[in-house]
C-alpha cells in the first residue's frame, strides 16, 4: 500500500484527470464527469454515514432545524474539521480525509444545500470558501 501522503496526491491527480479522461474517451462533457464524481462522493458519504455515524446520529439529527441553524452561514471547512477532530467518538480522526470529505458532501446533500452536486474538495482554503446554506423548514417560520 502507498504511504498516506502519496495516496492523497494520487487522489488529487485522479480527481483532476477524470473530466479530461472522460471527455477524451467517450465524449462525455467535463460537467457530466464532475457531476458523476460528486454523485460517487455523496454515495460514499452515505455509506460511511450509515456504517459509522448512525451509531450516534440519526439522519434526523443532522437534517433538523437545530442542525441547520447551528451550521447555516458557516463554512464547510468548519464542519469538516468538527467531524474530523471529534468523530467517530471512539476514535476521532481515524477515517481518511477523503472519507470525512464524503461525509460532508452527504450532509450537504441531505440538507438540500444548493451546489451539492459538485465534489467537496480537500483543499482547506477552497473548503473554507464554501458557505453552508441550508434551507430551513416551514416550521421555523422563516
Amino acid at each position: 500500500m502507498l504511504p498516506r501522503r502519496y495516496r492523497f496526491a494520487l487522489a488529487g491527480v485522479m480527481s483532476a484527470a477524470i473530466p479530461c479522461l472522460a471527455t477524451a474517451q467517450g465524449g462525455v462533457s467535463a460537467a457530466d464527469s464532475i457531476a458523476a464524481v460528486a454523485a460517487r462522493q455523496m454515495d460514499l458519504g452515505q455509506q460511511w454515514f450509515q456504517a459509522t455515524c448512525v451509531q450516534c446520529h440519526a439522519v434526523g439529527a443532522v437534517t433538523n432545524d437545530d442542525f441547520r441553524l447551528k451550521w447555516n452561514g458557516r463554512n464547510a471547512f468548519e464542519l469538516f474539521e468538527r467531524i474530523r477532530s471529534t468523530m467517530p467518538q471512539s476514535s476521532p480522526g481515524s477515517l481518511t480525509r477523503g472519507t470525512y470529505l464524503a461525509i460532508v458532501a452527504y450532509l450537504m446533500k441531505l440538507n438540500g444545500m444548493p451546489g451539492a452536486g459538485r465534489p467537496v474538495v480537500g483543499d482547506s482554503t477552497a473548503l473554507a470558501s464554501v458557505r453552508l446554506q441550508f434551507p430551513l423548514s416551514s416550521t421555523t417560520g422563516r
Side-chain angles (χ1 to χ4, degrees):
M1 177 169 259
L2 290 171
R4 189 175 182 163
R5 69 176 182 267
Y6 295 122
R7 283 184 277 155
F8 288 130
L10 182 60
V13 169
M14 290 306 294
S15 65
I18 288 171
C20 299
L21 290 173
T23 301
Q25 294 290 321
V28 177
S29 74
D32 289 341
S33 298
I34 290 170
V37 170
R40 179 70 179 136
Q41 184 183 47
M42 288 182 279
D43 287 346
L44 287 172
Q46 179 179 11
Q47 291 170 18
W48 276 100
F49 187 90
Q50 291 173 343
T52 306
C53 306
V54 294
Q55 295 172 17
C56 299
H57 307 284
V59 170
V62 296
T63 58
N64 64 25
D65 283 341
D66 289 338
F67 178 88
R68 291 176 181 191
L69 285 169
K70 178 178 181 174
W71 290 101
N72 200 44
R74 296 172 77 176
N75 68 59
F77 183 72
E78 290 178 89
L79 180 59
F80 168 82
E81 273 300 300
R82 174 64 182 256
I83 295 169
R84 187 195 62 75
S85 65
T86 63
M87 299 173 207
Q89 186 176 11
S90 60
S91 56
S94 62
L95 305 177
T96 67
R97 186 173 184 85
T99 299
Y100 287 113
L101 292 168
I103 291 169
V104 169
Y106 178 62
L107 292 176
M108 291 167 64
K109 175 186 172 186
L110 275 179
N111 283 287
M113 185 174 154
R118 293 185 299 260
V120 176
V121 296
D123 176 81
S124 59
T125 302
L127 205 51
S129 71
V130 176
R131 289 277 163 227
L132 300 175
Q133 300 171 342
F134 300 141
L136 300 177
S137 72
S138 59
T139 60
T140 61
R142 293 184 186 186

